[in-house]
Amino acid sequence: EISTLSLHDALPISYFDYIFLGRAENTISYFILSLITKSDYRHNSICKASEFSPDKIYHFNYATKLYRDHGKKLIEKMQGCKYNCSYCRYRVASLPPNKRDQDKNTTMNGNEETFWDLNITNGSFYTTSLDGLTSQIRYAVNKPIPNNLIIDKLAQFSKQTKKINLKIYFIVGYPNNTALDFIEILKTLIMASKKTGQCKVFIKFHLTPFSAEPQTPMQWEPMSIVYDYRELVNRLKSENKYLIDLPNFKVILLNSTIKPLALLKRAVFNRANKDSQQLLEYLGSHTEQISHNRTQSKKLKFCCKRFHVYKYLQVLPIGKYLPTSNILTWKSQKQTIIEAKKVRKQLSKIGFKN
């Protein structure tokens, strides 16, 4: 699979001859043949840099079935997601089940499973996501997972296995909701521990700061580099190794959260245009940024001092044309805007900050 790249006014056009948008297996053979024969092969998911225009519309190329390589016996096991969470790009990265002619029930059955479909039957390592520390936030971003479902599923798993090893992804730093508040989720898990009995439960939390991803309803939302969630996590871990420390039920925080500089880089890449060339080159190759003698915090200060980075992080009017808006997916812009207005309204009702 060739990863999706944003089509900016000048970037990454400066570095590539061709860019494939989405899946390439249905077009790559014809494309390579055209290069060999020096013939012209055009497809609306292939951008030829020499002919690129920001006004030209491109389409995300979708696979209609899971990939099967019969020669090497490689079979693709996961393709996108059938749910519609407002922050997540997986939703438009592949066709939803109702738009496929086959392989309709094969979404998200890989290493990371959606919480709704998670089923733990043994002591192996499982990974899932809740993406909101409170049920109110989860509902606001269209991930309707109530606390009682978390309790019931853990209770169910404890009847199927003597050991539960689970890594859970959470998104923190949503717009107007920057507080790192574990009270509700920990209360929920403590209630679950009363139902899991003698089953050995070990849960790890991984926190990811919110990023406004292209083609999602939240692509116009603001991102914050004010709070260093890695530092907040390390501070909590220094005070206590466990968030929950019961004989058969333990919860810890992983210190794998990205730093604000990494979030800024993501924001710049997603929202960069022809005026961003100098900033992109600075982040990618300047001595101040690639030196191992400086911390990420110092590199962030250098960057903010040299460049006006706020425009890559700020809230934008819903529907505003972005550098990635000329890439069309299966979901219409009209529908995306409807969902964007809904999630912005819901998050504004529950704002709380550190």
Side-chain angles (χ1 to χ4, degrees), residues 152-198:
D152 291 344
K153 285 187 75 84
L154 287 174
Q156 171 198 331
F157 302 153
S158 69
K159 295 179 174 62
Q160 301 174 173
T161 178
K162 296 180 179 179
K163 184 183 293 185
I164 296 173
N165 287 309
L166 182 62
K167 179 180 179 181
I168 304 177
Y169 287 92
F170 290 92
I171 293 177
V172 295
Y174 282 114
N176 304 313
N177 297 268
T178 54
L180 197 59
D181 187 351
F182 293 103
I183 293 176
E184 182 176 312
I185 188 63
L186 294 183
K187 282 185 177 179
T188 300
L189 292 177
I190 288 173
M191 291 178 66
S193 71
K194 297 177 181 180
K195 295 190 175 185
T196 54
Q198 296 302 307

Side-chain angles (χ1 to χ4, degrees), residues 138-149:
R138 293 193 292 272
Y139 273 80
V141 297
N142 203 32
K143 188 155 192 163
I145 298 176
N147 292 327
N148 65 301
L149 178 60

Side-chain angles (χ1 to χ4, degrees), residues 74 81 93-94 115 133 175 194 258 264 276 333 338 340 350 352:
L74 297 176
C81 182
S94 68
F115 189 77
L133 291 173
K194 297 177 181 180
I258 64 171
L264 175 61
S276 308
Q333 178 81 340
I338 291 173
I350 56 174
F352 56 91

Side-chain angles (χ1 to χ4, degrees), residues 22 29 46 60 72 95 125 157 162 170 228 243 267 298:
S29 298
I46 301 175
F60 200 96
K72 296 182 179 179
L95 293 173
F125 178 80
F157 302 153
K162 296 180 179 179
F170 290 92
D228 188 334
L243 290 175
K298 287 184 177 180

Side-chain angles (χ1 to χ4, degrees), residues 81 83 85 87-88 90 108 111-118 126-132 138 143 145 149-150 166-171 174 185 204 206 208:
C81 182
Y83 300 107
C85 304
Y87 52 83
C88 188
Y90 286 143
M108 297 303 289
N111 183 50
E112 179 186 343
E113 182 57 273
T114 62
F115 189 77
W116 293 284
D117 302 303
L118 180 66
Y126 288 80
T127 304
T128 191
S129 59
L130 290 176
D131 292 327
R138 293 193 292 272
K143 188 155 192 163
I145 298 176
L149 178 60
I150 298 172
L166 182 62
K167 179 180 179 181
I168 304 177
Y169 287 92
F170 290 92
I171 293 177
Y174 282 114
I185 188 63
K204 298 182 287 187
H206 171 81
T208 302

Side-chain angles (χ1 to χ4, degrees), residues 2-5 7 18-29 31-32 41 43 45-47 59-61:
I2 297 181
S3 299
T4 304
L5 293 171
L7 295 182
Y18 295 89
I19 298 171
F20 283 70
L21 298 170
R23 297 290 290 256
E25 65 262 40
N26 294 329
T27 57
I28 191 69
S29 298
F31 171 76
I32 293 175
Y41 176 70
H43 194 279
S45 69
I46 301 175
C47 170
H59 293 261
F60 200 96
N61 188 40

